[in-house]
Amino acid sequence: MEAQVLHFFQWFWDLFGLWNVVWSFVEPVWPLIWNLMKIVAIVAPLMIGVAYLTYAERKILAYMQVRVGPNRVGYYGLLQPIADGIKLLFKELIVPIRSNKLLFAFAPVMVLAPALAAWAVVPFADGMVLANINAGLLFILAMTSIGVYGVIIAGWSSNSKYAFLGAMRSAAQMVSYELPMGFALVCVLLAAQSMNLTDIVMGQQSNAGMLGWYFVPLFPMFIVYLISGVAETNRAPFDMAEGESEIVAGFHVEYSGMGFALFFLGEYANMILIAGLTSLFFLGGWLNPFHGWMLVGALTEWVPGIVWLLGKMFFVLFLFLWFRATFPRYRYDQLMRLGWKVLIPLTLVWVVVVAAWMQTPYWLWTPASVQG
Amino acid sequence: MLENYFPVLLFIIVGLAIGVIPLLLGWILAPNRPDDAKLSPYECGFEAFEDARMKFDVRYYLVAILFILFDLEIAFLFPWAIVLQEIGMFGFVSMMVFLSILVVGFIYEWKKGALEWE
């Protein structure tokens, strides 16, 4: 891939007979340029995805409530997210009088940047990853935890009572649901015997197709991860932090214009990230669900891996929207009870079960890298 | 080994830029006509009657402490999980001892009511 791109540039500049001159300048910084190109190739579709996820949410929610949703701006309302973006760009940025200005401005960046940066280690197919680092899962956990700082800083620096309350609630909630999430991931690590995300997906490959994926032996953990993911991104039914009807909009009540837009983007970028991670950890990433299933398997072998991955992500994102349309909001005490008294004991037990199961000959998921 | 992390650093910088650039754009393009009413903290239309940095419930503090304990526990579980098939039965039993000690602590805080929110 890199060689082809270089070749294209050489061809292009040779039209003007300038290739040697250009290359003498570019050569020392070529790795930087090449990496930046790859990053843009990840971030640009991601930002478009974030914009159209807001559209998909309004549209799907509308159809579930038997109405049409946005359909005025562009065909089928397809330009709605762009219109929203431009509108927010021209809205006044209000900085409350007694707030801490610098922190107030930086908080939304703190929410959005880690949600994007986590994609650095996410593989889209075998070998199709920006940085194939061995501590990939640890990096993702670290990045997703930083979002909590953004929320707390936003709530505290606004110097407003509702924002402060929302930030306290939201921080306690995100922190509480990070624990079951971490325990669920320990189960995935037990099965995969590696922190490298590519290895985790490849550990799910077998001739059983989707029956070999980790959501089969770790089914309760798959559910826990999904629930924690919803709570972690402050989505309904766990959207206490925003709670429009009780604490108006929680930690971002004082934000307007682009600051508000960034929180919005951050929330949806986080949703897409959680959807991607759920697909990688539990739903076999880019693997064909019918691999090894006689006729169906043979007929679907031509589909590229990234299509399967995107399909699984769409499925998880649809679940997110479906939950929002279906469930009423939890009360705060119920939320904390679910986190600490149901999910944490459940995950703790399942860690022990999986570890004990692995000591017996009945464990079927030993990855090829360990068998040898 | 470490050069693998260069694209990661680059990605973090790009992520920060994607946050900062729209903010600056908004700051340049948007109108800016502040007045007292607009800049005062929002309290459903009332005047703010005390400082927003008020006392808060001690339970948030408890949750934070419990989080630190359990996160540390997860930090110990990660390396164990990755090599469990190499360390076998002995590694399994050792971790069960560690976990059971923590579970005793967890049961204690549950019985003490540290996890109650009413």
Side-chain angles (χ1 to χ4, degrees), chain A residues 11-260:
Chain A
W11 169 80
F12 179 78
W13 286 105
D14 263 345
L15 292 180
F16 313 102
L18 286 171
W19 170 246
N20 287 326
V21 187
V22 173
W23 183 242
S24 63
F25 284 111
V26 168
E27 194 181 7
V29 286
W30 174 250
L32 182 75
I33 296 177
W34 175 239
N35 275 316
L36 273 177
M37 285 164 74
K38 285 198 278 190
I39 289 173
V40 170
I42 296 175
V43 168
L46 184 63
M47 292 314 283
I48 295 171
V50 167
Y52 278 90
L53 181 59
T54 63
Y55 169 77
E57 166 161 48
R58 296 169 68 180
K59 210 69 180 168
I60 290 172
L61 222 54
Y63 282 120
M64 285 184 178
Q65 294 163 355
V66 206
R67 54 193 177 89
V68 197
N71 68 342
R72 283 289 177 272
V73 195
Y75 291 103
Y76 305 103
L78 275 170
L79 294 178
Q80 185 70 47
I82 294 163
D84 285 340
I86 293 172
K87 181 197 78 177
L88 283 167
L89 194 59
F90 287 96
K91 286 275 181 185
E92 182 171 358
L93 280 165
I94 298 170
V95 181
I97 192 99
R98 279 179 301 164
S99 63
N100 300 51
K101 310 274 184 306
L102 198 64
L103 287 177
F104 185 79
F106 193 64
V109 182
M110 240 359 213
V111 173
L112 180 62
L116 295 178
W119 285 89
V121 300
V122 171
F124 298 95
D126 198 7
M128 212 170 133
V129 51
L130 180 68
N132 194 12
I133 57 177
N134 282 332
L137 192 142
L138 217 49
F139 174 74
I140 284 192
L141 273 180
M143 279 295 133
T144 47
S145 321
I146 289 179
V148 185
Y149 285 98
V151 169
I152 298 182
I153 291 174
W156 183 80
S157 68
S158 310
N159 208 345
S160 155
K161 245 164 260 163
Y162 289 110
F164 182 72
L165 269 178
M168 294 304 293
R169 283 184 180 196
S170 165
Q173 168 185 347
M174 288 165 100
V175 139
S176 301
Y177 279 81
E178 215 163 282
L179 296 174
M181 211 171 202
F183 282 121
L185 291 182
V186 167
C187 291
V188 173
L189 288 180
L190 275 172
Q193 299 284 291
S194 170
M195 277 202 184
N196 184 307
L197 295 187
T198 306
D199 289 351
I200 291 178
V201 173
M202 289 326 267
Q204 303 177 52
Q205 191 158 41
S206 71
N207 283 327
M210 65 173 89
L211 294 180
W213 297 349
Y214 289 150
F215 83 91
V216 176
L218 308 175
F219 189 73
M221 295 302 98
F222 169 60
I223 303 296
V224 167
Y225 191 83
L226 209 56
I227 295 174
S228 314
V230 177
E232 196 80 344
T233 49
N234 285 326
R235 294 281 307 172
F238 304 115
D239 57 345
M240 247 75 49
E242 292 167 29
E244 298 91 343
S245 50
E246 11 176 324
I247 48 170
V248 286
F251 60 90
H252 60 194
V253 61
E254 298 290 352
Y255 281 86
S256 64
M258 223 47 218
F260 173 76

Side-chain angles (χ1 to χ4, degrees), chain A residues 43 90-92 96-97 100 105 116 130 139 156 159 161-162 175 189 193 195 254 258 262 333 341 358 370, chain B residues 8 11 18-19 22-23 30-31 33 38-39 41-44 52-53 56 67 78 81-82 85 106 116-117:
Chain A
V43 168
F90 287 96
K91 286 275 181 185
E92 182 171 358
I97 192 99
N100 300 51
L116 295 178
L130 180 68
F139 174 74
W156 183 80
N159 208 345
K161 245 164 260 163
Y162 289 110
V175 139
L189 288 180
Q193 299 284 291
M195 277 202 184
E254 298 290 352
M258 223 47 218
L262 286 185
D333 61 318
K341 295 190 174 175
M358 281 174 69
V370 182
Chain B
V8 174
F11 210 126
I18 288 178
L23 264 187
R33 284 185 286 275
K38 206 188 267 176
L39 296 188
Y42 175 78
E43 267 178 39
C44 301
R53 280 150 201 182
F56 61 90
F67 166 72
F78 274 157
I82 288 179
Q85 286 185 342
F106 188 57
E116 305 293 335
W117 292 72

Side-chain angles (χ1 to χ4, degrees), chain B residues 1-26:
Chain B
M1 179 56 209
L2 207 60
E3 73 264 11
N4 279 342
Y5 285 85
F6 173 67
V8 174
L9 177 68
L10 212 58
F11 210 126
I12 294 175
I13 294 169
V14 170
L16 287 174
I18 288 178
V20 172
I21 290 170
L23 264 187
L24 288 179
L25 265 181

